[in-house]
Amino acid sequence: MAAKKNNTTLHSAKPFLKWAGSKRQLIKQFIDIYPQQLKDGTIENYYEPFLGSGAVFFDIGQRYKIKNAWLGDVNEDLVLTYKIIQARVSELTAVLYHHEKKYLALNKKERVAYFYEQRTTFNAHRFDKDINRNTDKGIARAAQLIFLNRTCFNGLFRVNSTGEFNTPPGDYTKPSICDQENLLAVSGLLAIANIKKVDYISSIKNIRPASFIYFDPPYRPLSATSSFTAYSKSAFTDVQQSQLAQVCKDLNKKGTFIMLSNSDTKDGFFDNLYKNFHVMRVPAKRMINSDASKRGHINEIVVTNYPV
């Protein structure tokens, strides 16, 4: 973990997964948007119910003096991997090193075959009841997820309607599969975290007073054909976006500090949904698209219940 926590802290732990929608590129802008109470040290509890790559948690957990973090996601394998890193990181890195050593020794054709072998095994065991952080199977599965993420096309975690990981292999010369130094730093930072596989409503049931919560739900599609990425087999519709807005209104009454991100669909949907909140646009870069020409700058919505 970083030696001290302030706005100039150099972070030692960074997201260990490539993830569509990761906020890592926006952190410098988010620093100016975080509530002042977080910067003053009066907010000690942090919640992130749509965890993904956890970029905002990694920033806040090292930059400010929070004592507790509640991290949740509906993606069971993602949550398992965080828990394995938290509790059994040395065993995980040993398995990842094995993957890395074997994969890098293969030629291109053999790498493709190895990737599909791991993907097939990963999908075949997705319903195993005895996979958890206390078993060797749990370590093996977390290592497979990281391996697949680091070697698949564009680092895109995507599943189909039955929950099968279906991203094809990427074409990398020397992918970083076992980043032991970072994983050890991540494990240290996760010491303050309570990590659960829960939906966002369950994750904030007993939220503590004067907490800061960051919502990063599945984004509303920019067009009818852009609903491309799926992190779980469940969709997040406009009805659910509206339900989340109501949750934010209820939390606002409790004195919770709220920040939320979403896509700028340019139809006033979020401006109307959060009309009693502060809504702003921040420039972002679309990093993942099958057509490289469509990876460019766009705006994203940021909503807060406090003035920035």
Coordinates of all heavy atoms in Angstrom, one line a residue, residues 14-18 96-97 99-101 103-104 111 143 145-152 172-183:
K14 N -3.1 -1.4 -8.3 CA -3.9 -0.9 -9.4 C -4.8 -2.1 -9.9 O -4.6 -3.2 -9.5 CB -3.0 -0.4 -10.6 CG -2.0 -1.5 -11.1 CD -1.1 -0.9 -12.2 CE -0.3 -1.9 -12.9 NZ 0.7 -2.5 -11.9
P15 N -5.8 -1.8 -10.6 CA -6.7 -2.8 -11.1 C -6.0 -4.0 -11.8 O -5.1 -3.7 -12.6 CB -7.6 -2.1 -12.1 CG -7.7 -0.7 -11.6 CD -6.3 -0.4 -11.1
F16 N -6.3 -5.2 -11.4 CA -5.6 -6.4 -11.9 C -6.3 -7.0 -13.1 O -5.8 -7.9 -13.7 CB -5.5 -7.4 -10.8 CG -6.8 -7.9 -10.2 CD1 -7.5 -9.0 -10.7 CD2 -7.3 -7.2 -9.1 CE1 -8.7 -9.4 -10.2 CE2 -8.6 -7.6 -8.6 CZ -9.2 -8.7 -9.1
L17 N -7.5 -6.4 -13.5 CA -8.2 -6.9 -14.6 C -8.4 -5.8 -15.6 O -8.6 -4.6 -15.3 CB -9.6 -7.4 -14.2 CG -9.7 -8.7 -13.4 CD1 -11.1 -8.9 -12.9 CD2 -9.1 -9.9 -14.1
K18 N -8.3 -6.1 -16.9 CA -8.8 -5.2 -18.0 C -10.3 -5.4 -18.0 O -10.8 -6.5 -17.9 CB -8.2 -5.6 -19.3 CG -6.7 -5.5 -19.4 CD -6.2 -5.7 -20.8 CE -5.7 -7.1 -21.0 NZ -5.2 -7.3 -22.4
L96 N -0.8 -18.7 -11.4 CA -0.7 -17.8 -12.5 C 0.7 -17.9 -13.1 O 0.8 -17.8 -14.4 CB -1.0 -16.3 -12.0 CG -2.4 -16.0 -11.8 CD1 -2.5 -14.6 -11.1 CD2 -3.2 -16.0 -13.1
Y97 N 1.7 -18.0 -12.3 CA 3.0 -18.2 -12.9 C 3.1 -19.4 -13.8 O 3.8 -19.4 -14.8 CB 4.1 -18.3 -11.7 CG 5.5 -18.5 -12.2 CD1 6.2 -17.4 -12.8 CD2 6.1 -19.7 -12.1 CE1 7.5 -17.6 -13.3 CE2 7.4 -19.9 -12.6 CZ 8.1 -18.9 -13.2 OH 9.3 -19.1 -13.7
H99 N 0.6 -20.7 -15.5 CA 0.0 -20.4 -16.7 C 0.9 -19.5 -17.6 O 1.0 -19.7 -18.8 CB -1.3 -19.6 -16.5 CG -2.5 -20.4 -16.1 ND1 -3.0 -21.3 -17.0 CD2 -3.3 -20.4 -15.0 CE1 -4.1 -21.9 -16.4 NE2 -4.3 -21.4 -15.2
E100 N 1.5 -18.5 -17.0 CA 2.3 -17.6 -17.8 C 3.5 -18.3 -18.4 O 3.8 -18.1 -19.6 CB 2.8 -16.5 -16.9 CG 3.7 -15.4 -17.6 CD 4.0 -14.2 -16.7 OE1 3.1 -13.3 -16.6 OE2 5.1 -14.2 -16.1
K101 N 4.2 -19.1 -17.6 CA 5.4 -19.8 -18.1 C 5.0 -20.7 -19.3 O 5.7 -20.8 -20.3 CB 6.0 -20.6 -17.0 CG 7.3 -21.3 -17.4 CD 8.0 -22.0 -16.2 CE 9.3 -22.6 -16.5 NZ 9.9 -23.3 -15.4
Y103 N 2.2 -20.6 -21.3 CA 1.6 -19.9 -22.4 C 2.7 -19.2 -23.2 O 2.7 -19.3 -24.4 CB 0.6 -18.9 -21.9 CG -0.1 -18.1 -22.9 CD1 -1.2 -18.6 -23.5 CD2 0.3 -16.8 -23.3 CE1 -1.9 -17.9 -24.5 CE2 -0.4 -16.0 -24.2 CZ -1.5 -16.6 -24.8 OH -2.2 -15.9 -25.8
L104 N 3.6 -18.5 -22.6 CA 4.7 -17.8 -23.3 C 5.6 -18.7 -24.0 O 6.3 -18.2 -25.0 CB 5.4 -16.9 -22.3 CG 4.6 -15.8 -21.7 CD1 5.5 -14.9 -20.7 CD2 3.9 -14.9 -22.7
R111 N -0.9 -21.3 -28.6 CA -1.5 -20.4 -27.7 C -3.0 -20.3 -27.8 O -3.8 -20.3 -26.8 CB -0.9 -19.0 -27.8 CG 0.5 -18.8 -27.3 CD 1.0 -17.4 -27.4 NE 2.3 -17.2 -26.9 CZ 2.9 -16.0 -26.7 NH1 2.2 -14.9 -27.0 NH2 4.1 -16.0 -26.2
A143 N -7.5 -18.0 -11.0 CA -6.4 -17.9 -11.9 C -6.8 -18.0 -13.4 O -6.3 -17.3 -14.2 CB -5.4 -19.0 -11.6
L145 N -9.7 -17.1 -14.6 CA -10.4 -15.8 -15.0 C -9.3 -14.8 -15.3 O -9.4 -14.1 -16.3 CB -11.3 -15.3 -13.8 CG -12.1 -14.1 -14.2 CD1 -13.5 -14.1 -13.6 CD2 -11.4 -12.8 -13.7
I146 N -8.3 -14.7 -14.5 CA -7.2 -13.7 -14.8 C -6.5 -14.0 -16.1 O -6.2 -13.1 -16.9 CB -6.3 -13.6 -13.6 CG1 -7.0 -13.0 -12.4 CG2 -5.1 -12.7 -13.9 CD1 -6.2 -13.0 -11.1
F147 N -6.2 -15.3 -16.2 CA -5.5 -15.7 -17.5 C -6.3 -15.4 -18.7 O -5.8 -14.8 -19.7 CB -5.2 -17.2 -17.4 CG -4.8 -17.8 -18.8 CD1 -3.5 -17.6 -19.3 CD2 -5.8 -18.4 -19.6 CE1 -3.2 -18.1 -20.5 CE2 -5.4 -18.9 -20.9 CZ -4.1 -18.7 -21.3
L148 N -7.6 -15.7 -18.7 CA -8.5 -15.5 -19.8 C -8.6 -14.0 -20.1 O -8.6 -13.5 -21.2 CB -9.9 -16.1 -19.6 CG -9.9 -17.6 -19.6 CD1 -11.3 -18.1 -19.1 CD2 -9.6 -18.2 -21.0
N149 N -8.7 -13.2 -19.0 CA -8.9 -11.8 -19.1 C -7.6 -11.1 -19.8 O -7.7 -10.2 -20.6 CB -9.1 -11.1 -17.8 CG -9.2 -9.6 -17.8 OD1 -8.2 -9.0 -17.4 ND2 -10.3 -9.1 -18.2
R150 N -6.5 -11.6 -19.4 CA -5.2 -11.1 -19.9 C -4.8 -11.5 -21.3 O -4.0 -10.9 -21.9 CB -4.0 -11.4 -18.9 CG -4.3 -11.0 -17.5 CD -4.5 -9.6 -17.2 NE -3.4 -8.7 -17.6 CZ -3.4 -7.4 -17.4 NH1 -4.4 -6.8 -16.9 NH2 -2.3 -6.7 -17.8
T151 N -5.5 -12.6 -21.8 CA -5.1 -13.1 -23.1 C -6.3 -13.1 -24.1 O -6.1 -13.4 -25.2 CB -4.6 -14.6 -22.9 OG1 -5.6 -15.4 -22.3 CG2 -3.3 -14.6 -22.1
C152 N -7.5 -12.7 -23.7 CA -8.6 -12.7 -24.6 C -8.6 -11.4 -25.4 O -7.9 -10.4 -25.1 CB -9.9 -12.8 -23.8 SG -10.5 -11.4 -22.9
Y172 N -1.4 -11.3 -28.5 CA -0.5 -10.5 -27.7 C 0.9 -11.2 -27.8 O 1.0 -12.5 -27.7 CB -0.9 -10.4 -26.3 CG -2.3 -9.9 -26.1 CD1 -3.3 -10.7 -25.8 CD2 -2.5 -8.5 -26.2 CE1 -4.6 -10.2 -25.6 CE2 -3.8 -8.0 -26.0 CZ -4.9 -8.9 -25.7 OH -6.1 -8.4 -25.6
T173 N 2.0 -10.5 -27.9 CA 3.3 -11.0 -27.9 C 3.7 -11.5 -26.5 O 4.2 -12.7 -26.4 CB 4.3 -10.0 -28.4 OG1 3.9 -9.5 -29.7 CG2 5.7 -10.6 -28.5
K174 N 3.6 -10.7 -25.5 CA 4.0 -11.0 -24.2 C 3.0 -10.5 -23.1 O 3.3 -9.5 -22.4 CB 5.4 -10.6 -23.9 CG 6.1 -11.2 -22.7 CD 7.5 -10.8 -22.5 CE 8.1 -11.4 -21.3 NZ 9.6 -11.0 -21.1
P175 N 1.8 -11.0 -23.0 CA 0.9 -10.5 -22.0 C 1.3 -10.7 -20.6 O 2.0 -11.7 -20.3 CB -0.4 -11.3 -22.3 CG 0.1 -12.6 -22.9 CD 1.3 -12.2 -23.7
S176 N 1.0 -9.8 -19.7 CA 1.3 -9.9 -18.3 C 0.2 -10.7 -17.6 O -0.9 -10.2 -17.4 CB 1.4 -8.5 -17.7 OG 1.5 -8.6 -16.3
I177 N 0.5 -12.0 -17.3 CA -0.5 -12.9 -16.7 C -0.3 -12.9 -15.2 O -1.3 -12.9 -14.5 CB -0.3 -14.3 -17.4 CG1 -0.7 -14.2 -18.9 CG2 -1.2 -15.3 -16.7 CD1 -0.3 -15.4 -19.7
C178 N 0.9 -13.0 -14.8 CA 1.2 -13.1 -13.4 C 2.0 -11.8 -12.9 O 3.2 -11.8 -12.9 CB 2.0 -14.3 -13.0 SG 2.4 -14.5 -11.3
D179 N 1.2 -10.8 -12.5 CA 1.9 -9.6 -12.0 C 1.9 -9.7 -10.4 O 1.0 -9.1 -9.7 CB 1.0 -8.3 -12.4 CG 1.7 -7.0 -12.1 OD1 2.7 -7.0 -11.3 OD2 1.3 -6.0 -12.6
Q180 N 2.9 -10.4 -9.9 CA 2.9 -10.7 -8.5 C 3.0 -9.5 -7.6 O 2.3 -9.4 -6.6 CB 4.1 -11.7 -8.2 CG 4.2 -12.1 -6.8 CD 5.3 -13.1 -6.5 OE1 6.3 -13.0 -7.2 NE2 5.1 -14.0 -5.6
E181 N 3.8 -8.5 -8.0 CA 4.0 -7.3 -7.2 C 2.6 -6.6 -7.0 O 2.3 -6.2 -5.9 CB 5.0 -6.4 -7.8 CG 5.3 -5.2 -7.0 CD 6.3 -4.3 -7.7 OE1 7.0 -4.7 -8.6 OE2 6.5 -3.1 -7.2
N182 N 1.9 -6.4 -8.1 CA 0.6 -5.8 -8.0 C -0.4 -6.6 -7.2 O -1.2 -6.0 -6.4 CB 0.1 -5.4 -9.4 CG -1.2 -4.6 -9.3 OD1 -1.3 -3.6 -8.7 ND2 -2.3 -5.2 -9.9
L183 N -0.5 -7.9 -7.4 CA -1.4 -8.7 -6.7 C -1.2 -8.7 -5.2 O -2.1 -8.7 -4.4 CB -1.4 -10.1 -7.3 CG -2.0 -10.3 -8.7 CD1 -1.7 -11.7 -9.2 CD2 -3.5 -10.0 -8.7

